[in-house]
């Protein structure tokens, strides 16, 4: 199976990117094929429901999403939701997400936004029949020391989430939905 790891934060010092790197290192040590798409490296236009779909970077993003069996998306929590960059990517590449297995790694400021990712998860389920990995990571600022990921529990949960996404993607691929 092919996994796409998406880093959605546009912050150079991102904590969700640190989660993603730990997930990538886990998959690397398992020799599980995966690719990383960092939205900082692929500037995308804002979705306008029209000409933006023709942008070459949108075509590239669409192709990378379409080629994946499973997607692990690392996102900041902004205003009780995934950040606008991730939502914009999904708006721009919608159909490419059909039937994908999707897991989430979330970085938030505090504990109060715990279930915020559900709005996006629900839309992926209902719009594109995505299978959402029933295990996600929610890491607050307390998990990090100087933007380094140090909490052993979160490290463990992140590794688990990466492996669960890979296994579920393989199982769902086998179903031929
Ligand atoms: C515009 C903005 C909105 C935010 N909204 C929330 C929020 O609703 N809940 C929360 O817990 N943290 C919120 N935060 C804090 C971020 O989730 C936190 O800084 C996180 O580390 C960002 O992820 P990143 O480091 O990967 O960019 C917000 C931060 C910004 C800049």
């Amino acid at each position: 199976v092919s996994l796409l790891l998406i880093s959605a934060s546009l912050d150079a010092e991102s904590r969700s990117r640190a989660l993603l790197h730990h997930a990538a290192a886990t998959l690397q040590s398992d020799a599980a094929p995966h690719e990383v798409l960092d939205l900082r490296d692929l500037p995308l236009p804002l979705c306008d429901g029209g000409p933006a779909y023709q942008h070459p970077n949108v075509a590239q993003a669409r192709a990378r999403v379409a080629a994946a069996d499973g997607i692990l998306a690392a996102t900041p929590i902004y205003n009780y939701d995934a950040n606008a960059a991730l939502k914009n990517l999904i708006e721009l590449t919608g159909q490419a997400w059909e039937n994908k297995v999707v897991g989430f790694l979330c970085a938030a400021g505090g504990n109060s936004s715990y279930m915020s990712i559900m709005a996006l998860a629900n839309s992926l389920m209902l719009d594109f029949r995505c299978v959402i990995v029933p295990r996600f990571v929610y890491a607050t600022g307390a998990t990090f020391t100087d933007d380094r990921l140090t909490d052993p529990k979160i490290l463990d949960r992140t590794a688990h989430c990466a492996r669960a996404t890979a296994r579920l993607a393989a199982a769902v691929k086998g179903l031929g939905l």
Side-chain angles (χ1 to χ4, degrees):
V1 293
S2 57
L3 288 189
L4 182 64
L5 275 50
I6 298 175
S7 177
S9 178
L10 303 181
D11 185 347
E13 320 259 284
S14 162
R15 291 172 169 169
S16 56
R17 189 179 303 107
L19 296 171
L20 193 93
H21 284 165
H22 186 61
T26 303
L27 294 169
Q28 187 75 36
S29 73
D30 292 353
H34 63 279
E35 280 186 27
V36 174
L37 169 58
D38 191 325
L39 295 187
R40 273 174 62 86
D41 300 332
L42 190 71
L44 296 171
L46 278 178
C47 184
D48 57 7
Y53 293 125
Q54 310 304 326
H55 192 285
N57 286 0
V58 174
Q60 195 190 131
R62 189 184 297 119
R64 296 190 68 183
V65 169
D69 301 302
I71 296 173
L72 191 54
T75 181
I77 298 297
Y78 281 178
N79 297 75
Y80 295 88
D81 209 330
N83 72 343
L86 180 57
K87 188 161 179 295
N88 187 50
L89 169 71
I90 295 169
E91 291 167 10
L92 289 166
T93 58
Q95 304 298 322
W97 290 73
E98 276 191 357
N99 298 323
K100 307 291 179 198
V101 167
V102 183
F104 293 103
L105 306 173
C106 307
N111 280 313
S112 304
S113 304
Y114 187 65
M115 289 182 70
S116 299
I117 199 63
M118 285 315 296
L120 189 66
N122 283 338
S123 82
L124 288 170
M125 280 195 279
L126 299 181
D127 248 6
F128 303 121
R129 297 182 295 282
C130 291
V131 176
I132 303 299
V133 180
R135 178 186 281 284
F136 85 116
V137 173
Y138 182 94
T140 67
T143 305
F144 295 83
T145 314
D146 305 327
D147 287 326
R148 277 181 309 108
L149 186 53
T150 46
D151 183 333
K153 258 193 186 157
I154 293 289
L155 285 164
D156 201 43
R157 281 185 71 90
T158 302
H160 253 80
C161 188
R163 291 185 171 123
T165 304
R167 286 201 201 113
L168 200 55
V172 168
K173 188 179 188 184
L175 294 174
L177 292 177

